[in-house]
Amino acid sequence: MKPKQIEQFNRMRAALIRIAKEYQTPDQLRRNAERDYGLDAGEAIEMAYENIQSEARAAVCGTRAVNVNGSPSRRRASGKEK
């Protein structure tokens, strides 16, 4: 792996660890949302979902798919990967 790929991998790994360990489960949010955040459960779950999407989006920002041979894959005109 090249230094930039290592940096990107580590950024994605860190985001996945944060998502896995720091976010409450939906059940925990249902129980604690009112007390912890002053929100109803649905609103807390919706906000958590948006935060998770934002974390994932930031983690993959600037990354490119790598094919099995190690070189970047080419995108088709439709935007779908090979």
Side-chain angles (χ1 to χ4, degrees):
M1 288 178 94
K2 296 178 181 174
K4 186 172 183 175
Q5 289 173 318
I6 293 169
E7 175 192 338
Q8 292 168 342
F9 175 84
N10 287 335
R11 188 175 63 228
M12 289 185 287
R13 183 180 183 277
L16 288 171
I17 289 170
R18 272 192 311 278
I19 290 168
K21 293 184 176 183
E22 295 179 14
Y23 283 88
Q24 295 182 38
T25 66
D27 287 335
Q28 290 171 325
L29 284 171
R30 284 185 195 95
R31 284 193 308 270
N32 305 326
E34 183 70 38
R35 182 191 70 212
D36 292 349
Y37 310 111
L39 300 170
D40 65 57
E43 185 71 16
I45 292 170
E46 181 180 336
M47 291 176 77
Y49 184 82
E50 290 170 356
N51 290 340
I52 289 169
Q53 284 183 314
S54 178
E55 288 238 20
R57 193 176 302 112
V60 299
C61 181
T63 63
R64 293 175 55 173
V66 178
N67 71 15
V68 177
N69 297 327
S71 61
S73 64
R74 303 223 185 265
R75 291 187 164 232
R76 296 181 184 177
S78 66
K80 294 182 180 177
E81 294 185 25
K82 288 182 170 180

